[in-house]
């Protein structure tokens, strides 16, 4: 920029005043284009570079000033979303905007935001107007320091009035005793402050009046009641919630397999949270976003993962995702990308749930480890997809050696002893009936805790991973072959091949794979073909 200005001054000395306006216009145009390109490059770098600093994340991520009427529409200029996309789509719930509400500028974040004056003691992510059952609260998803006292909620009402109401803090389970944990802050609406609806919310840790402030920093309030109920028509029957991506997660083929598998099980929406991810996974998610199947939310974690809060603040993400599913999806799967809920005797998960004579709030599946160090089931894959030169595999991939590494196809040996329900288990839940979700089961519901333990005869959670305690000792445990997931092998082969062709056309239509699991069987430290 400085160099261009120096050039303008030099040209002023060398050219006549008649030519100067034209030259100035051209230089301004070039300067603007370079500035925009530089900004886009900077944003993409900040979103993906592994060495980015936490403080930079907080200061640079989605500093959004939005209209108070975020519930129905969002106005404003295009800025990059959590994947670096640029668009002016007003229907995108992540689209930032700028507007002045009356004489007040609203600073409503679409990512983690520190409560002003809290000295890094409490951070807000999202808020929901929750009037289910006996509830009448604004439920805020927060990360909070232990023993920190939140005094009040500050509600921004329709019309621009700010109202202070009492609050209480409800810590979310499974925090394992670190300095911070996920929590709900519940803003009491039992005595409505007015007939208007809260549009945004923030917190205060003291009694100092906020009425004179011209900046409202907080999060928008989403009204759960406007989404309908289980008796109304919904966009889909099942959503899938996944804990935040981290450590530059970049296994594109396994993510495609995960999404396509759950689509076959009845899922029509996937919610992901992006702390850090690689470019290959970002490309996959952009493709599915364009299809309307995936929502990716920014997750600039404001505290240290594992050191100050349990892994990536996952319980804040899972509970936020559950609330986002209310009124839109009958069921929600709470799983990670290496966990597949597999029905044994039914066509898909929706059919399995429908087979029960009554509705339950949650359906819990026993965990079965399919350790990645056990041998690949190459015989079953060959017989199914490459039985001869006319086999489906040759049509899709051209040659058996080009078959992508699908874990549900190649990994069929599992641990014989299953974990009891509630330990390592994963589950389906009915979001409208759930108040608090955990990693392995539901903690609190609206009304009675009606849960069903799915019998292993009808379904299991297939967990594809390395030894959970490190090393290789897990492969010495009693095991057996379980090919239940092969019921969907052909459909998965077709769907993953088609998706990879569309997303990675420049890569020969193949999803990149970073590093495959071993092709040997390891037994007592010895590799056997």
């Amino acid at each position: 920029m400085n160099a261009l200005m120096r050039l303008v001054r030099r040209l002023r000395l060398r050219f006549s005043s008649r030519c100067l306006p034209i030259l100035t216009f051209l230089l301004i145009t070039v300067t603007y284009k370079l500035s925009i390109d530089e900004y886009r490059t900077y944003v993409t770098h900040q979103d993906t570079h592994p060495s980015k600093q936490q403080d930079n994340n907080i200061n640079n991520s989605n500093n959004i000033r939005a209209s108070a009427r975020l519930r129905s529409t969002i106005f404003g200029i295009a800025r990059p979303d959590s994947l670096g996309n640029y668009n002016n789509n007003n229907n995108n719930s992540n689209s930032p905007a700028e507007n002045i509400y009356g004489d007040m500028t609203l600073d409503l974040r679409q990512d983690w935001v520190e409560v002003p004056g809290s000295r890094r003691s409490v951070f807000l992510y999202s808020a929901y107007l929750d009037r289910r059952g006996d509830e009448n609260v604004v439920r805020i998803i927060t990360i909070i320091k232990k023993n920190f006292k939140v005094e009040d909620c500050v509600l921004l009402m329709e019309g621009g009035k700010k109202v202070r109401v009492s609050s209480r803090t409800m810590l979310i389970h499974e925090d394992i005793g670190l300095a911070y944990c996920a929590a709900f802050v519940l803003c009491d609406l039992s005595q409505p402050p007015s007939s208007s609806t809260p549009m945004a919310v923030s917190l205060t840790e003291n009694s100092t009046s906020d009425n004179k402030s011209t900046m409202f920093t907080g999060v928008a309030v989403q009204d759960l009641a406007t989404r309908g109920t289980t008796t109304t028509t919904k966009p889909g029957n099942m959503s899938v919630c996944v804990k935040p991506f981290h450590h530059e997660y970049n296994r594109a083929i396994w993510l495609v397999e995960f999404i396509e598998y759950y689509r076959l099980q009845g899922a029509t929406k996937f919610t992901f949270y992006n702390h850090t991810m690689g470019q290959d996974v970002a490309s996959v998610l952009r493709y599915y976003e364009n299809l309307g199947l995936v929502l990716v939310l920014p997750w600039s974690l404001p505290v240290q993962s594992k050191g100050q809060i349990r892994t990536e603040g996952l319980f804040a993400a899972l509970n936020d995702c559950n609330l986002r599913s209310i009124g839109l999806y009958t069921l929600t799967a709470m799983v990670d990308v290496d966990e597949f809920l597999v029905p044994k005797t039914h066509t898909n998960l929706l059919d399995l749930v429908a087979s029960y004579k009554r509705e339950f709030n949650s359906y819990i599946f026993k965990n079965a480890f399919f350790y990645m160090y056990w041998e690949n089931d190459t015989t079953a894959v060959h017989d199914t997809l490459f039985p001869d030169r006319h086999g489906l595999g040759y049509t899709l991939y051209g040659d058996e050696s080009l078959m992508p590494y699908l874990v549900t196809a190649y990994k069929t040996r599992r641990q014989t002893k299953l974990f009891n329900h509630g330990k390592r288990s994963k589950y389906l839940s009915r979001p409208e009936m759930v108040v608090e979700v955990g990693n392995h089961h539901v903690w609190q519901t609206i009304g009675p805790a009606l849960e069903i333990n799915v019998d292993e005869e009808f379904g299991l959670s297939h967990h594809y991973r390395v030894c959970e305690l490190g090393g290789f000792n897990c492969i010495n445990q009693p095991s057996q072959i379980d090919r239940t997931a092969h019921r969907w092998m052909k459909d998965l082969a077709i769907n993953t091949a088609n998706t990879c062709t569309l997303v990675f056309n420049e890569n020969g239509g193949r999803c990149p794979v970073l590093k495959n699991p071993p092709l040997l069987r390891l037994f007592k430290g010895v590799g056997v073909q």
Side-chain angles (χ1 to χ4, degrees):
M1 180 71 73
N2 292 334
L4 286 172
M5 295 306 297
R6 287 195 297 270
L7 179 60
V8 169
R9 287 194 291 268
R10 291 175 183 175
L11 291 174
R12 186 186 297 274
L13 298 175
R14 298 186 60 181
F15 290 88
S16 66
S17 59
R18 188 183 310 171
C19 299
L20 188 59
I22 299 175
L23 291 171
T24 303
F25 173 80
L26 292 175
L27 287 170
I28 291 173
T29 302
V30 171
T31 302
Y32 174 78
K33 179 64 169 60
L34 290 174
S35 298
I36 291 296
D37 289 344
E38 181 180 5
Y39 174 69
R40 293 187 180 181
T41 302
Y42 168 77
V43 169
T44 303
H45 173 79
Q46 288 294 314
D47 191 50
T48 60
H49 198 280
S51 63
K52 62 183 180 181
Q53 300 297 314
Q54 290 288 350
D55 288 341
N56 288 338
N57 284 343
I58 298 167
N59 294 331
N60 293 327
S61 63
N62 301 311
N63 294 321
I64 297 165
R65 295 173 178 172
S67 165
R69 302 190 179 277
L70 285 174
R71 188 191 311 136
S72 58
T73 185
I74 298 180
F75 310 93
I77 60 174
R79 289 185 187 156
D81 60 18
S82 62
L83 291 173
N85 294 320
Y86 286 76
N87 62 70
N88 278 301
N89 182 3
N90 289 342
N91 293 322
N92 182 353
S93 62
N94 294 326
S95 298
E98 291 185 350
N99 197 19
I100 303 299
Y101 189 78
D103 60 352
M104 185 186 308
T105 301
L106 304 184
D107 188 4
L108 302 180
R109 306 300 174 94
Q110 300 293 303
D111 200 348
W112 286 105
V113 55
E114 181 182 354
V115 172
S118 72
R119 299 181 180 180
R120 295 189 57 79
S121 292
V122 59
F123 304 86
L124 311 180
Y125 188 76
S126 57
Y128 302 86
L129 182 58
D130 189 353
R131 289 175 170 145
R132 296 172 296 162
D134 297 330
E135 299 281 4
N136 190 8
V137 298
V138 171
R139 184 179 298 275
I140 312 175
I141 299 290
T142 72
I143 284 176
I144 194 166
K145 185 177 285 187
K146 302 290 185 56
N147 301 320
F148 179 78
K149 175 65 174 176
V150 175
E151 294 292 339
D152 297 308
C153 298
V154 180
L155 301 174
L156 182 65
M157 313 301 289
E158 285 182 330
K161 182 179 180 181
K162 285 189 285 186
V163 178
R164 193 180 301 274
V165 299
S166 62
S167 69
R168 68 185 190 275
T169 301
M170 174 182 161
L171 301 184
I172 295 174
H173 291 76
E174 304 179 53
D175 65 274
I176 66 174
L178 297 176
Y180 291 86
C181 71
F184 297 119
V185 171
L186 305 175
C187 307
D188 186 12
L189 299 179
S190 58
Q191 295 181 345
S194 71
S195 59
S196 60
T197 302
M199 305 302 297
V201 63
S202 189
L203 302 177
T204 178
E205 80 288 354
N206 55 48
S207 59
T208 303
S209 174
D210 190 45
N211 289 330
K212 295 181 180 180
S213 173
T214 59
M215 173 68 75
F216 186 91
T217 301
V219 291
V221 176
Q222 304 177 51
D223 190 347
L224 298 181
T226 62
R227 301 174 178 175
T229 65
T230 54
T231 60
T232 62
T233 302
K234 296 184 180 3
N237 287 310
M238 185 168 71
S239 63
V240 178
C241 295
V242 180
K243 73 179 184 182
F245 288 127
H246 57 285
H247 290 150
E248 298 294 320
Y249 178 75
N250 205 33
R251 290 197 178 276
I253 183 59
W254 287 354
L255 181 60
V256 172
E257 179 185 12
F258 173 85
I259 292 174
E260 293 300 335
Y261 173 80
Y262 276 102
R263 290 182 70 184
L264 292 171
Q265 297 301 323
T268 55
K269 194 71 173 185
F270 298 80
T271 301
F272 299 103
Y273 298 83
N274 177 21
H275 188 190
T276 60
M277 65 173 65
Q279 288 297 328
D280 296 337
V281 160
S283 296
V284 168
L285 293 178
R286 286 191 187 99
Y287 166 77
Y288 284 114
E289 273 192 322
N290 290 334
L291 295 180
L293 293 169
V294 159
L295 172 64
V296 182
L297 297 168
W299 194 259
S300 301
L301 192 68
V303 297
Q304 183 184 358
S305 177
K306 296 186 178 180
Q308 294 180 307
I309 194 169
R310 192 167 174 183
T311 311
E312 301 302 315
L314 78 160
F315 298 111
L318 294 181
N319 279 280
D320 175 76
C321 187
N322 178 74
L323 289 164
R324 289 179 190 273
S325 297
I326 291 173
L328 298 176
Y329 303 95
T330 306
L331 293 169
T332 296
M334 293 288 174
V335 292
D336 203 355
V337 289
D338 59 358
E339 295 167 331
F340 294 70
L341 301 181
V342 179
K344 284 181 172 286
T345 58
H346 295 83
T347 304
N348 56 38
L349 290 172
L350 298 181
D351 288 342
L352 171 59
V353 169
S355 70
Y356 291 97
K357 294 181 180 180
R358 60 179 299 186
E359 288 188 354
F360 294 91
N361 295 337
S362 60
Y363 304 79
I364 304 176
F365 293 72
K366 283 186 175 181
N367 176 79
F369 281 127
F370 287 67
Y371 291 121
M372 302 300 288
Y373 298 129
W374 276 321
E375 78 277 14
N376 290 332
D377 196 341
T378 55
T379 300
V381 172
H382 175 82
D383 292 347
T384 302
L385 298 177
F386 302 92
D388 53 47
R389 297 303 300 180
H390 301 288
L392 175 63
Y394 289 105
T395 302
L396 294 174
Y397 311 116
D399 188 81
E400 189 168 358
S401 63
L402 299 177
M403 165 81 178
Y405 198 100
L406 304 180
V407 290
T408 57
Y410 285 107
K411 291 303 177 186
T412 60
R413 185 173 292 278
R414 71 165 172 84
Q415 188 178 11
T416 297
K417 183 179 179 180
L418 302 173
F419 288 82
N420 292 330
H421 291 98
K423 185 178 181 181
R424 293 280 187 176
S425 54
K426 287 303 170 85
Y427 59 94
L428 300 170
S429 65
R430 296 190 181 275
E432 292 174 7
M433 302 306 298
V434 172
V435 174
E436 180 188 348
V437 301
N439 205 9
H440 306 298
H441 60 88
V442 170
W443 283 102
Q444 184 181 349
T445 60
I446 301 291
L450 301 176
E451 65 181 25
I452 183 71
N453 292 330
V454 176
D455 192 283
E456 61 193 76
E457 176 184 352
F458 300 118
L460 289 174
S461 174
H462 290 200
H463 195 168
Y464 301 90
R465 59 164 299 161
V466 297
C467 299
E468 68 273 23
L469 299 177
F472 298 93
N473 288 337
C474 64
I475 65 173
N476 297 322
Q477 298 180 20
S479 63
Q480 65 187 63
I481 297 298
D482 185 339
R483 291 174 174 158
T484 308
H486 281 190
R487 295 170 57 196
W488 296 276
M489 186 198 293
K490 288 184 178 180
D491 287 334
L492 273 177
I494 294 170
N495 295 347
T496 54
N498 289 341
T499 299
C500 290
T501 297
L502 292 170
V503 177
F504 297 102
N505 185 51
E506 73 287 350
N507 193 39
R510 301 183 64 196
C511 285
V513 177
L514 292 181
K515 185 178 181 181
N516 283 335
L519 299 177
L520 315 167
R521 178 178 181 182
L522 300 175
F523 185 73
K524 292 184 179 180
V526 179
V528 181
Q529 291 286 1

